[in-house]
Amino acid sequence: MTGVAVIGIDHRHAYGMLGGMLDAGAIGIGWWTEGSPKTLDGFVKRYPDLPRVDDRHAILSDPNVDMVLISAIPSDRADLAIEAMHAGKDVMVDKPGCISQAQLDRIMAAQAETGRIWSVDFSEHFEVPAVAKAAELIADGQIGKVVQTVGLGPHRLNAPLRDPWFFDKTRYGGILADIGSHQIDQFLFFTGSETAEIAHACIANHNNPDHPGFDDFGEIVLRSPNGHGYIRLDWYTPDALPNWGDGRLTILGTEGYIELRKYIDVAGRDGTDHLFLVNKTRCEYIDCKDVPITYFRNLIQDIRDRTETAMKQSHAFEVTRLALLAQEMAGG
C-alpha cells in the first residue's frame, strides 16, 4: 500500500493533491505545515482524521511514507522537495514546482542522484475529466493533427483570503511561472511536443496598485515543430461568476476542433467539464463530468513499479523550465 504525507499546505491545491491520492487508494500518514496559513481551517475540515506532526523530519524518517505532497510557499518548494528526495521519498509538488532556474537545476541534480520521482500536479490538466476526454477524442483521430492550443486561465483574486507571500514575487514567482505552467503543460501534451520556443511573453499589473510587485495579467505565445500556442492569464474574475474562474481550452486540429469549458458554461449548462466537438461529421456537446482521471492512479503505479506512466520526468522538468523562461523574458 502506498503511504502519502503532506508537507506545506500554504496553497489550497493541497486539498486536491491529497484527495486525489486518497481516492486512488493511497493511505494518508500525516501532515506538517509551518505556522497557521489561511488554508489551515479548510484543510482540517476536509481531513479531520489525518494527524498533524510537529516536525516534518518525522514524516521524512517514517518508512511508511512513500510519497511527500508539497504545497508550501512556492519559494520553499525546491528545498523541501530536495530534502524529501534525499530522504528516499518520491515527491508530488504543487505548481510552480520552483521559482528560479537555479532551483530547478538543483532539483534536477537531486532527482538524478536519488532516482526519486519529482512530479508536478498540473491540476488544470490532471484533475479535469474534460481534458481526459479531449485526449481520448484526439487519440481517436476526431480532429486530425493538432496544430494549435489556446488556453485561457482567468482566476479570482480573493485578496483578503491570501497570505502576504501571495503578492511577493520573490516568494510566488510571477504569473507566468505559476499559473502559466498549467497552459504550457497542455500545449506540450496536446501538440505532442517535447519542448517549445517562447515567441512572446509579457506581464502587467493593471488593477492592483496596492501590490505593485504582483502580476495580474500575463500572456505567452509558444511554437514548436508540431504546433502553435497562445496563453492568456489574469486575476480579473468578476464577482458575479459563481466559481473561481472560467477556464477554457480550445484545441485546433486539421479536421476539427475541441473547446473545453472546464469549470463553468456561462449562462449555459450546469456543472463542470463541458466539451464541444466539431469535425466533418459531428457537431455536438459532450458531458465529461463522469470521465475518470488517471494521474493519481498512475502515479501510485509509478511509485510501485518505478515507471513514468503518470507523466514523464522530462516533461515535468521542461514545463517548469519554459514557464520560468517565459517569466524571465517578460521582465521577471
Side-chain angles (χ1 to χ4, degrees):
M1 196 66 69
T2 301
V4 297
V6 181
I7 291 181
I9 63 166
D10 297 270
H11 197 292
R12 285 167 177 79
H13 285 156
Y15 307 159
M17 292 164 66
L18 178 57
M21 291 299 285
L22 296 180
D23 289 345
I27 301 299
I29 305 298
W31 63 281
W32 172 89
T33 201
E34 185 76 42
S36 300
K38 292 186 177 181
T39 54
L40 181 62
D41 290 345
F43 187 86
V44 172
K45 182 179 180 179
R46 285 167 175 80
Y47 306 107
D49 299 325
L50 193 68
R52 181 176 186 175
V53 301
D54 295 329
D55 185 346
R56 70 176 185 274
H57 294 98
I59 289 173
L60 298 176
S61 62
D62 189 336
N64 296 311
V65 175
D66 299 294
M67 171 165 273
V68 171
L69 316 181
I70 298 173
S71 191
I73 295 170
S75 58
D76 297 338
R77 293 173 188 173
D79 286 341
L80 292 171
I82 291 166
E83 182 182 54
M85 286 189 283
H86 281 297
K89 311 302 182 186
D90 293 318
V91 171
M92 179 208 292
V93 65
D94 182 18
K95 61 82 217 156
C98 59
I99 65 166
S100 73
Q101 182 61 50
Q103 286 186 340
L104 180 59
D105 290 343
R106 292 174 51 233
I107 290 168
M108 294 175 67
Q111 190 280 324
E113 180 182 347
T114 63
R116 309 317 301 178
I117 295 168
W118 184 79
S119 188
V120 184
D121 178 14
F122 298 114
S123 57
E124 293 188 27
H125 174 175
F126 296 131
E127 298 185 25
V128 177
V131 173
K133 184 63 178 180
E136 175 188 317
L137 292 167
I138 291 168
D140 192 41
Q142 292 294 317
I143 63 169
K145 173 180 166 53
V146 173
V147 297
Q148 189 201 39
T149 63
V150 176
L152 307 182
H155 284 63
R156 187 185 302 281
L157 185 57
N158 280 334
L161 302 180
R162 306 292 184 176
D163 285 303
W165 65 261
F166 181 81
F167 299 100
D168 182 350
K169 195 174 292 189
T170 66
R171 307 192 78 190
Y172 82 90
I175 194 170
L176 304 186
D178 181 17
I179 58 179
S181 62
H182 283 304
Q183 310 299 334
I184 294 172
D185 158 64
Q186 290 166 90
F187 167 80
L188 295 182
F189 174 74
F190 281 114
T191 61
S193 302
E194 293 186 0
T195 187
E197 175 189 354
I198 307 293
H200 164 75
C202 80
I203 53 175
N205 182 327
H206 294 299
N207 200 41
N208 287 275
D210 293 341
H211 302 289
F214 181 67
D215 305 334
D216 63 18
F217 175 86
E219 64 180 1
I220 303 172
V221 175
L222 297 158
R223 57 180 174 232
S224 81
N226 293 351
H228 308 265
Y230 174 76
I231 295 166
R232 192 206 76 207
L233 315 163
D234 68 76
W235 288 99
Y236 304 144
T237 292
D239 290 344
L241 197 77
N243 70 353
W244 60 266
D246 184 10
R248 299 194 183 198
L249 177 67
T250 299
I251 307 165
L252 176 66
T254 54
E255 299 178 19
Y257 65 90
I258 292 170
E259 182 187 353
L260 307 182
R261 301 179 188 179
K262 297 180 179 181
Y263 310 110
I264 189 170
D265 182 15
V266 176
R269 301 163 179 83
D270 292 336
T272 62
D273 291 286
H274 309 280
L275 184 150
F276 301 86
L277 169 66
V278 182
N279 63 18
K280 293 179 179 179
T281 60
R282 302 170 69 181
C283 181
E284 63 188 69
Y285 165 77
I286 301 174
D287 182 351
C288 302
K289 67 178 182 298
D290 295 325
V291 174
I293 56 175
T294 60
Y295 169 72
F296 300 101
R297 183 185 69 211
N298 289 344
L299 192 54
I300 289 175
Q301 177 181 319
D302 292 339
I303 293 168
R304 182 187 67 233
D305 299 338
R306 312 317 297 168
T307 50
E308 296 186 350
T309 63
M311 172 173 45
K312 288 185 178 180
Q313 185 62 75
S314 59
H315 179 82
F317 288 150
E318 186 62 9
V319 171
T320 304
R321 185 190 74 83
L322 290 170
L324 294 171
L325 177 60
Q327 186 72 43
E328 180 183 4
M329 288 176 59

